[in-house]
Amino acid sequence: AWAYFKVQGYVEAVQTFARLLDRVDSAAASGGRVRAGGRLRPEALRFLAMSIVYVDWERLATTPEGPNPLALQRLRQFVPESSPWAAAAFFETGGILFEEQRTVDAVAVWRYALAHWPTNRRAPEITEQVRVALHNVQDEQGEAEMIDALGRFGEGSDWWNANQDHPAEQIRAADLARNALLDSAFSHHEAAQARQATCTGDEQQDPACQAAARREYLAAAEAYRVYLERYPNDPRAYELHYS
């Protein structure tokens, strides 16, 4: 797989990394000793993802500046979704795309993965990464949807019940939901204050600017309200009610 990767034989690299991952997970499932293959699993996933992401499979010297659906298409073509490592490959590919600032493509891959593996133990973590990505591109509606999705990983949910053997991930999911909602409130509040500070002209206030600031304040108030409904015993409740 490494040899193919080095000579830009990305199709062959993906196929060979996939064979390694099949062997490793098969051995682990049967209780066998994984040895070196187990240690190489994270690297195999990363370089499979990197192979998927490269846009010059056909030796084209072009790098699209806009959204490029090739990564998701290639994942669906070369990664059997029934494989135990399939979700990890999708998650990893989304991470590589995000690192390369291909945010739209990263979100597309992550959303596809979350729709297909909603009870995967990493689903809350990936949902949070989607939220961060959407925040970075100022997609407020999309970010709000992800905050709401984080809140649905709580106790009693399908995800929670499917991950009883992963208490650390359950605790992490609860923390992510709480922090994401509070971060949203703080972010809108700060944006409202910053915008209002720029609204005053020489002798009069700009109505359009004031309206934009008001929208930010209302979004912050809504986020505070939802947070306090979900976490009424938060030690910062008095401060948050005031905000």
Side-chain angles (χ1 to χ4, degrees), residues 3 16 21 37 50 76 79 81 104 122 148 161 171 190 193 201 207 211 235-237:
T16 313
L21 290 163
M50 291 175 66
R76 296 182 64 183
V79 176
E81 294 182 7
V104 173
R122 293 186 61 198
D148 187 57
N161 294 334
I171 294 172
E190 290 173 1
Q193 292 172 325
R236 296 163 292 182

Side-chain angles (χ1 to χ4, degrees), residues 9 14 17 34 48 51 57 59 75 104 129 146 170:
V14 168
F17 280 125
V34 181
L48 181 147
S51 300
W57 278 19
R59 303 297 190 267
L75 281 167
V104 173
Q129 291 183 3
M146 290 301 101
Q170 289 179 328

Side-chain angles (χ1 to χ4, degrees), residues 166-202:
H166 301 286
E169 282 78 2
Q170 289 179 328
I171 294 172
R172 174 66 173 155
D175 288 342
L176 285 173
R178 179 187 293 257
N179 293 336
L181 189 54
L182 201 55
D183 285 348
S184 176
F186 290 154
S187 178
H188 283 297
H189 199 162
E190 290 173 1
Q193 292 172 325
R195 186 174 290 273
Q196 187 177 37
T198 66
C199 287
T200 303
D202 294 335

